[in-house]
Amino acid sequence: MVASLRLPSLTSLLFPATTRYPAALRRTVCLRNRPASGFASGTAASTDAHRLRSKQAVTPRSQDFNAWYLDVIASAELADHGPVRGTMVIRPYGYAIWEAIQEYLNVKFKETGHSNMYFPQFIPYSFIEKEASHVEGFSPELALVTVGGGNELEEKLVVRPTSETIVNHMFSQWIHSYRDLPLMINQWANVTRWEMRTKPFIRTLEFLWQEGHTAHATPEEAEKEAKQMIEIYTRFAFEQTAIPVIGGRKSKLETFAGADKTYTIEAMMGDRKALQAGTSHNLGQNFSRAFGTETSWAVSTRFVGGIIMTHGDDTGLMLPPKIAPIQVVIVPIWKKETEKTGVLSAASSVKEVLQAAGVRAKLDDTSERTAGWKFNFWEMKGVPIRIEIGPRDVSSNCVVVSRRDIPGKAGKVFGISMEPSTLVAYVKEKLDEIQSSLLEKAVSFRDSNIVDVNSYEELKVAISSGKWARGPWSASDSDEQRVKEETGATIRCFPFEQTQGIKTCLMTGNRAEEVAIFAKSY
């Protein structure tokens, strides 16, 4: 099915299908309570109506993971619904996380010889039609423009679902001989894919991403490039987002439409489903028959969803310090008006000291909310460290430091000196500890939920219990399709890290060179 681009009706804009409600934080807008016009939630309307009346800000993660995820996005002010079904408005705090992703990757792309540029959002439909496998893979998701300036267009336009076809067209204009190679570019852009079931950050009609495109003189250079980029994504996932992804090669059935090979990083979410967090494709000469060998590679705002679902808890968002827009929030506390000036002055000084040391610090000096409300609010937003300063702390020249990743009293330390060098060293040490702790916890969770299997029956048991299954595989595409139909799981990848020795395919009993990982996924 191909969807034509159209505006929402005036009725849907003037009379939205649902009602916003005040939750515990009094700022919460519950995304999941708008199934008629927003993201598909999979939750019955009657259940949603009941939750509308609930005073609970966040559904417990263990009770309903999907509802918890949507509550966190709303309460942490990451995103809201757009007026068109399946679209989202990324709010400043959510966009700041995306900016942190951009800042890191931009440096890595440029260090490896890539330049940023931009391609048009509209692509002639004839470009898509030229690539049979490409159009077959994307046809159900295409949005088309058929009218422009009040007139029927001579040729309909595709709203960019990805850019391989238009990039190939331009490369053919720029590459005249092998002396023009390699050509390596990247663009930060939006893309549109007409998804039937949507989930904020994970799957929306429009999303943000970067897509790199390169052309090389030899197949070997292209293969090296494709693997280099998936390695950059892997390091980013581990080092910045504390998500222990598994890198590997996609099966033939799961390979990107039009590619020779697709490499992927697969992440285990808190509900044990797999999230494809980034891909890199060796396109061979499928898009460039007149010149060189191409690659393309991309990550998107889906990574924001991955961060939420990997680290969040019942309190809300939990952000790794390296990716957190705010690393430290300072909450001044006073009861008497005579205490206010001294406390605020000390809190402001602490903020300036931390910011001067490169720490992303924020002072919450608003007087409309209680300290307890602020504690809850900033915990919901996943800020790694909270510093509390009251009159006694000012007198003793000390602060109280609380860690987001260790709830309650166990994560709170009293009497940390305000002396700049001492405070800065302590805060930076704790930020590093939190970053490492979140990664260690995620690795432990991942490894404890991967089961090694040697038969199809064992695979089915593992998948039915919600785990990932890892086992030797050399069976056919039809066997792989059978696994998908009978278990709901797909081959997520053939991991780069493989066990040595002779293996026997879990499905056929034949010799197998590799193990594959199977899982249900987003």
Side-chain angles (χ1 to χ4, degrees):
M1 179 178 69
V2 176
S4 294
L5 194 64
R6 63 185 186 277
L7 293 173
S9 68
L10 184 61
T11 302
S12 68
L13 292 174
L14 294 177
F15 304 101
T18 56
T19 305
R20 298 175 184 264
Y21 77 106
L25 294 179
R26 299 183 184 178
R27 295 189 184 182
T28 303
V29 178
C30 192
L31 288 169
R32 62 187 164 86
N33 290 316
R34 301 182 65 178
S37 60
F39 300 110
S41 67
T43 306
S46 59
T47 304
D48 282 340
H50 171 74
R51 287 173 180 154
L52 275 169
R53 294 187 290 272
S54 173
K55 293 182 179 180
Q56 183 170 291
V58 176
T59 302
R61 212 170 81 138
S62 58
Q63 177 181 315
D64 187 331
F65 191 86
N66 183 63
W68 165 84
Y69 174 75
L70 297 176
D71 285 348
V72 169
I73 288 173
S75 298
E77 301 178 337
L78 299 175
D80 203 348
H81 288 281
V84 176
R85 177 184 174 88
T87 63
M88 68 174 176
V89 177
I90 304 176
R91 300 184 67 178
Y93 197 62
Y95 198 83
I97 299 173
W98 177 238
E99 285 180 317
I101 294 172
Q102 288 180 303
E103 288 168 9
Y104 175 91
L105 290 178
N106 241 338
V107 171
K108 297 303 177 184
F109 296 160
K110 292 176 181 179
E111 285 178 351
T112 49
H114 304 89
S115 300
N116 284 332
M117 61 176 301
Y118 186 79
F119 291 88
Q121 183 178 14
F122 299 117
I123 301 171
Y125 189 73
S126 59
F127 284 18
I128 304 291
E129 286 183 309
K130 289 177 184 177
E131 309 297 338
S133 61
H134 198 59
V135 72
E136 182 181 353
F138 276 103
S139 182
E141 301 174 356
L142 296 182
L144 303 179
V145 178
T146 57
V147 176
N151 299 312
E152 193 81 18
L153 298 179
E154 291 185 9
E155 179 180 1
K156 54 192 173 185
L157 303 176
V158 176
V159 184
R160 175 177 50 220
T162 184
S163 298
E164 278 74 13
T165 57
I166 193 169
V167 168
N168 171 60
H169 174 78
M170 297 311 301
F171 275 14
S172 69
Q173 310 298 309
W174 301 334
I175 300 172
H176 304 290
S177 75
Y178 285 100
R179 289 189 294 272
D180 297 320
L181 299 173
L183 180 55
M184 303 193 296
I185 60 95
N186 173 70
Q187 75 164 340
W188 296 91
N190 62 330
V191 293
T192 299
R193 297 180 185 175
W194 211 267
E195 302 283 359
M196 293 299 101
R197 293 189 60 80
T198 55
K199 188 182 184 76
F201 290 112
I202 301 302
R203 194 176 295 276
T204 49
L205 263 63
E206 180 191 13
F207 57 90
L208 304 180
W209 75 350
Q210 61 73 211
E211 53 176 322
H213 298 271
T214 66
H216 303 268
T218 68
E220 292 77 18
E221 289 177 9
E223 180 69 2
K224 181 179 178 181
E225 167 77 2
K227 287 187 173 180
Q228 172 185 249
M229 301 319 294
I230 207 68
E231 176 59 28
I232 287 175
Y233 292 158
T234 301
R235 289 201 304 271
F236 165 71
F238 272 86
E239 296 173 6
Q240 301 295 308
T241 69
I243 299 177
V245 297
I246 294 177
R249 187 188 78 257
K250 285 289 190 182
S251 68
K252 182 180 177 182
L253 287 183
E254 295 292 322
T255 294
F256 176 72
D260 284 354
K261 294 179 183 177
T262 289
Y263 299 110
T264 181
I265 52 172
E266 299 289 326
M268 182 181 287
M269 300 294 95
D271 60 353
R272 298 183 292 189
K273 284 185 179 179
L275 182 74
Q276 179 179 288
T279 52
S280 180
H281 315 291
N282 184 337
L283 301 174
Q285 290 189 314
N286 297 326
F287 291 87
S288 57
R289 297 172 186 87
F291 57 87
T293 305
E294 285 188 280
T295 75
S296 67
W297 27 273
V299 297
S300 73
T301 40
R302 168 175 277 221
F303 235 115
V304 178
I307 294 167
I308 299 167
M309 292 194 286
T310 299
H311 302 301
D313 61 12
D314 284 352
T315 301
L317 192 60
M318 193 182 304
L319 291 174
K322 289 185 178 180
I323 212 78
I326 301 169
Q327 294 173 313
V328 177
V329 63
I330 303 156
V331 179
I333 305 168
W334 70 88
K335 291 184 179 179
K336 302 176 182 177
E337 197 63 26
T338 54
E339 301 168 337
K340 179 177 178 180
T341 301
V343 169
L344 286 178
S345 176
S348 181
S349 295
V350 167
K351 182 194 74 170
E352 290 171 4
V353 163
L354 292 175
Q355 288 180 338
V359 176
R360 295 188 291 277
K362 177 179 176 60
L363 170 61
D364 186 347
D365 57 359
T366 57
S367 57
E368 293 80 11
R369 303 290 187 180
T370 66
W373 188 96
K374 293 177 183 180
F375 292 173
N376 291 334
F377 181 68
W378 293 111
E379 286 176 3
M380 167 65 69
K381 292 179 81 73
V383 176
I385 286 178
R386 181 179 73 244
I387 290 178
E388 304 162 25
I389 303 176
R392 291 182 182 178
D393 302 306
V394 173
S395 299
S396 59
N397 199 41
C398 292
V399 298
V400 179
V401 177
S402 294
R403 287 175 53 161
R404 172 65 179 86
D405 64 320
I406 303 178
K409 293 181 179 179
K412 181 172 285 194
V413 179
F414 297 83
I416 304 302
S417 173
M418 284 191 210
E419 195 278 321
S421 62
T422 301
L423 180 62
V424 167
Y426 183 84
V427 166
K428 287 190 172 182
E429 178 186 4
K430 293 308 162 187
L431 289 173
D432 288 342
E433 286 181 12
I434 294 169
Q435 186 80 25
S436 298
S437 176
L438 289 178
L439 178 60
E440 290 170 7
K441 182 178 178 182
V443 168
S444 176
F445 179 79
R446 181 200 68 185
D447 291 348
S448 65
N449 285 288
I450 299 177
V451 179
D452 287 307
V453 299
N454 293 295
S455 70
Y456 186 38
E457 289 304 315
E458 290 179 357
L459 182 150
K460 287 191 286 187
V461 170
I463 298 301
S464 66
S465 64
K467 296 180 181 290
W468 290 18
R470 179 174 53 202
W473 186 263
S474 61
S476 65
D477 293 349
S478 60
D479 286 327
E480 183 179 342
Q481 185 63 30
R482 174 189 169 194
V483 173
K484 181 177 181 179
E485 292 171 355
E486 293 181 358
T487 69
T490 56
I491 292 180
R492 303 315 305 159
C493 69
F494 293 94
F496 292 132
E497 295 184 7
Q498 290 282 333
T499 57
Q500 301 300 311
I502 299 174
K503 307 175 187 66
T504 301
C505 177
L506 66 89
M507 179 68 81
T508 66
N510 297 329
R511 182 185 178 91
E513 300 294 332
E514 300 175 292
V515 298
I517 291 178
F518 293 79
K520 293 182 179 179
S521 66
Y522 283 100

